[in-house]
Amino acid sequence: MRFNENLQRLKTYEAGKPIELVVREYGIDEKDIIKLASNENPYGTSPKVVKKVQENAHKMYLYPDDSMYELKAALAKRFGVSAEEIIIGAGSDQVLEFCARAVLNEHTSVLMSKITFAMYEIYALQQGSKIIRSSCYRHDLDEFYDLYQKHNPSIVHICTPNNPTGDAIDKEYLYSFLEKVKDPLVVVDGAYMEYAAYKDPKKLIPPRELIAMYPNAIYLGTFSKAYGLGGMRVGYGIAQKEIIQQLYKLRPPFNITTLSLLAATEALKDEEFVQRAIEKNFAQMDRFIHFAMQNELEFIDSYTNFITYLLPQNINAKDLANALLRRGIIVRDLSSYGMNALRITIGTPEQNSIFFEKCKEVFDEYKR
Amino acid sequence: MRFNENLQRLKTYEAGKPIELVVREYGIDEKDIIKLASNENPYGTSPKVVKKVQENAHKMYLYPDDSMYELKAALAKRFGVSAEEIIIGAGSDQVLEFCARAVLNEHTSVLMSKITFAMYEIYALQQGSKIIRSSCYRHDLDEFYDLYQKHNPSIVHICTPNNPTGDAIDKEYLYSFLEKVKDPLVVVDGAYMEYAAYKDPKKLIPPRELIAMYPNAIYLGTFSKAYGLGGMRVGYGIAQKEIIQQLYKLRPPFNITTLSLLAATEALKDEEFVQRAIEKNFAQMDRFIHFAMQNELEFIDSYTNFITYLLPQNINAKDLANALLRRGIIVRDLSSYGMNALRITIGTPEQNSIFFEKCKEVFDEYKR
């Protein structure tokens, strides 16, 4: 048996540690663990969505509606696009995978920011594609344009707000880039867009406008963050139907669970829950900024539900993350991204207070 | 933008029609629709599993445990294998996709039965692979061996019981083939194995024994059929860990939802529910055999929860399926597989009585 050569180059994505693992490995009680590692909505899922799923739990034996009629109709209405301009994935991740598999092969390259969502690289490597990265973690689109001219990539990844850094670009800045870049598929990943749009409307990229103006663009959104459905694996791509039709050829049947379809459709009906979570997020963000200043930590101004603390040389990100883990707090160490930094999800007021307390405790230990 | 050439050759899988679609298109009330099209467990999901999901519905916002520790431990115990010998997919479908992507490319071929599960071909075509089919819908492994010697395929698909025909092969017959076929990855798809094992223990392929004896084999199982979780998308592959490690490189993170993991783990604890559903299935199967004989229909002896009626020339499968659909009964027309046949899921006693009644009604119309 011979495996394809591309497999040899592949990294495996390192997910945020789940609570279950910390319970098992550290013997900490589940209720004493605070997970600020995967940017889930700390206010949970809308109670209306929970109720909907509970009422329909007996339908688990039935395959989902593979046309996803209801959810597509709800998304089409929400964004002012047609159902043919939407593809639903098991997380926006899966739409990323469709894009990579539709366009990439060993003769192509992919352009992305120096530090950005890890799956862009993984899916590209699966296809044997070459990775081109900018020199700066922010999306410097002038440099992107230079690299585009030099390498002629088949996909350009724009993550705004960017994960794991939290910064975002203005819509007009993106559009001025797209005016000049007509060949590659430009993937605009807006997984955290709901947060950015609240903080600064200039950051909002409306999918309808984007795809009307730029037929080579695809917008990605997700229910995993602001909509509080990280565990249900629902995301979407919005693009002109010529692109969607090609991606559809790679969609496996029944890629969204029966309960996930119901949950996502219901979640779109409770915008109030989402908006309140976002408001609370930025109120709590101020506390993280204050804490950083108090402790002389640098941070990146964030348009998301997480904040990235850039640590000084004398504090090692991995050590700090482990010290917090032993205290029951899970955060994301960004060492694997080449940064001495921690990415911390903005939790509930109570969770954040405990985080500040425990983090201070570790810092005090370091000083001794 | 240029899409990969393989996309041009791709078919799209035609899924069984969901109840929602029949409600929309035919204006039939949901409660009057009987779906005997997708081989779901007609007795639903174990009440214990429903309860577990309801109690944990508030956890939808949390990403799943990506190590799938609990479910893997439960499966490992059930099959007497180690967790490293298991990979979990969003349905066994996804494990099929991993196999295709790990091994196939445009220089390879795939061997399968003339009529078998449609996704084998689709995933192979996505990789640009050539399809080799036997001349008979049954798994004639002597012919398979001749074709293997002639074409040197990279994957051999054995679907037992076979879908959409329902026949199954004896373990010893499979093993005598595997003794001679050491090169390709042999995918033994046991999606309906729980049914076959009950009807005739000679058909049971124990994964542990299979992979110990044949290091080039992978066994696929699913929670979608007997375990009553078709909507939750959980299946698994069992193979020696050298194979599993390679497939893992293609597994996207979080490929199983939080509630699906809980549901599948709980489902393994309620074997009694599964066994009773299987017993009832074969008691009802007898009625389908009786009905076929009464109406002079040929059928394939089935080791599954469905039966395939081979229709005479004067009854067109598509027409019959449509006539039943207008009466609120969804069955699977096998025309797209090149058979003038219907595949009918064995339903509950009440559902089956209505099926027989409506089917007779259509036959009587035909006679007029």
Side-chain angles (χ1 to χ4, degrees), chain A residues 65-89 223 234-238 244-245 248 251 255-256 261-262 264-266 268, chain B residues 24:
Chain A
D65 171 7
D66 202 41
S67 75
M68 310 194 206
Y69 182 87
E70 299 281 353
L71 178 56
K72 277 197 193 167
L75 282 169
K77 194 177 159 202
R78 168 97 161 73
F79 290 113
V81 298
S82 77
E84 293 77 41
E85 293 170 323
I86 300 172
I87 187 165
I88 316 271
F223 287 89
V234 194
Y236 49 89
I238 299 177
I244 298 297
Q245 279 167 354
Y248 242 86
R251 187 190 67 91
N255 61 325
I256 310 297
L261 281 178
L262 283 168
T265 308
E266 192 70 15
L268 281 174
Chain B
R24 286 194 305 272

Side-chain angles (χ1 to χ4, degrees), chain A residues 11 20 25 63 70 125 128 130 138-140 178 190 203 212 223 239 279 289 295 298 302 311 325 339:
Chain A
K11 305 172 180 183
E20 297 89 333
E25 292 193 357
Y63 281 101
E70 299 281 353
L125 291 178
K130 196 178 153 193
R138 291 183 195 276
H139 284 71
D140 175 347
L178 287 168
K203 307 296 183 191
F223 287 89
E279 282 167 32
I289 293 170
N295 291 278
E298 283 187 65
S302 171
L311 301 174
L325 201 55
M339 292 177 100

Side-chain angles (χ1 to χ4, degrees), chain A residues 140-239:
Chain A
D140 175 347
L141 297 184
D142 294 329
E143 190 192 1
F144 265 58
Y145 184 65
D146 290 344
L147 291 168
Y148 155 71
Q149 286 194 301
K150 194 170 163 195
H151 297 282
N152 190 25
S154 296
I155 289 183
V156 178
H157 282 290
I158 308 278
C159 189
T160 183
N162 194 17
N163 175 17
T165 57
D167 59 308
I169 57 174
D170 284 0
K171 180 181 86 171
E172 293 306 328
Y173 185 53
L174 173 64
Y175 285 4
S176 67
F177 173 74
L178 287 168
E179 283 299 331
K180 300 180 292 184
V181 177
K182 303 292 184 190
D183 286 340
L185 178 64
V186 179
V187 179
V188 180
D189 184 346
Y192 297 90
M193 188 60 78
E194 292 83 0
Y195 295 99
Y198 173 87
K199 179 167 169 175
D200 180 355
K202 289 199 301 295
K203 307 296 183 191
L204 174 66
I205 319 287
R208 179 188 182 169
E209 184 182 274
L210 176 77
I211 70 168
M213 290 173 67
Y214 307 107
N216 60 326
I218 181 165
Y219 179 90
L220 304 189
T222 186
F223 287 89
S224 297
K225 307 300 176 186
Y227 284 86
L229 289 174
M232 298 303 275
R233 315 308 297 128
V234 194
Y236 49 89
I238 299 177

Side-chain angles (χ1 to χ4, degrees), chain B residues 46-336:
Chain B
S46 153
K48 289 177 187 168
V49 177
V50 173
K51 185 160 171 271
K52 184 84 179 180
V53 164
Q54 285 170 332
E55 286 169 356
N56 287 279
H58 64 282
K59 290 187 182 162
M60 282 187 282
Y61 74 107
L62 288 170
Y63 281 100
D65 171 7
D66 203 41
S67 74
M68 309 193 206
Y69 182 88
E70 298 281 353
L71 178 56
K72 276 197 193 164
L75 282 169
K77 194 177 158 201
R78 168 98 162 73
F79 290 112
V81 298
S82 78
E84 293 78 41
E85 292 170 323
I86 299 172
I87 185 165
I88 316 271
S92 46
D93 254 55
Q94 196 181 32
V95 185
L96 282 171
E97 191 193 297
F98 299 154
C99 292
R101 292 178 60 205
V103 172
L104 302 182
N105 57 54
E106 54 268 41
H107 309 296
T108 61
S109 65
V110 180
L111 173 58
M112 65 188 75
S113 171
K114 180 186 177 190
I115 293 176
T116 193
F117 186 42
M119 295 309 298
Y120 304 155
E121 176 171 346
I122 293 174
Y123 290 130
L125 291 178
Q126 287 180 2
Q127 293 300 109
S129 230
K130 196 177 154 194
I131 312 295
I132 315 288
R133 288 185 185 273
S134 66
S135 61
C136 167
Y137 75 78
R138 290 182 196 276
H139 284 71
D140 175 348
L141 296 183
D142 293 330
E143 190 191 1
F144 266 57
Y145 184 66
D146 290 344
L147 291 167
Y148 155 72
Q149 285 194 303
K150 193 168 162 195
H151 297 281
N152 191 23
S154 296
I155 289 183
V156 177
H157 282 291
I158 307 279
C159 189
T160 185
N162 194 16
N163 176 15
T165 56
D167 59 308
I169 56 175
D170 285 0
K171 180 181 88 171
E172 294 306 329
Y173 185 53
L174 173 65
Y175 284 5
S176 67
F177 173 73
L178 287 168
E179 283 299 330
K180 299 180 293 185
V181 176
K182 303 292 184 191
D183 286 340
L185 178 64
V186 179
V187 179
V188 180
D189 184 346
Y192 297 91
M193 189 59 79
E194 292 84 359
Y195 294 99
Y198 173 87
K199 180 168 168 174
D200 180 355
K202 289 198 302 294
K203 307 296 183 191
L204 174 68
I205 318 287
R208 179 187 182 170
E209 184 182 274
L210 176 76
I211 70 168
M213 290 173 68
Y214 307 108
N216 60 327
I218 180 166
Y219 179 90
L220 304 190
T222 185
F223 288 89
S224 298
K225 308 299 176 187
Y227 284 86
L229 289 174
M232 297 304 273
R233 316 307 298 127
V234 193
Y236 49 89
I238 299 177
Q240 289 198 7
K241 70 174 187 226
E242 290 71 20
I243 294 178
I244 297 299
Q245 279 167 354
Q246 297 295 324
L247 301 184
Y248 241 87
K249 294 183 179 179
L250 295 165
R251 188 190 67 91
F254 308 128
N255 61 326
I256 310 295
T257 83
T258 298
L259 297 185
S260 301
L261 281 178
L262 282 167
T265 308
E266 192 70 17
L268 282 174
K269 296 178 193 163
D270 195 359
E271 283 296 334
E272 201 193 321
F273 173 85
V274 175
Q275 287 310 311
R276 262 193 296 171
I278 294 172
E279 282 166 32
K280 286 185 272 188
N281 175 70
F282 284 108
Q284 291 298 311
M285 179 76 81
D286 290 342
R287 296 178 67 196
F288 277 84
I289 293 170
H290 185 69
F291 182 81
M293 288 172 167
Q294 265 187 330
N295 291 278
E296 292 172 1
L297 298 173
E298 284 187 64
F299 62 91
I300 301 169
D301 188 30
S302 172
Y303 292 82
T304 67
N305 70 339
F306 62 82
I307 190 164
T308 299
Y309 282 171
L310 305 167
L311 301 174
Q313 281 188 332
N314 64 327
I315 303 180
N316 177 284
K318 201 179 175 100
D319 293 344
L320 178 54
N322 281 333
L324 290 168
L325 200 54
R326 285 193 298 273
R327 288 165 172 81
I329 295 178
I330 322 176
V331 298
R332 189 65 179 270
D333 158 29
L334 297 184
S335 304
S336 68

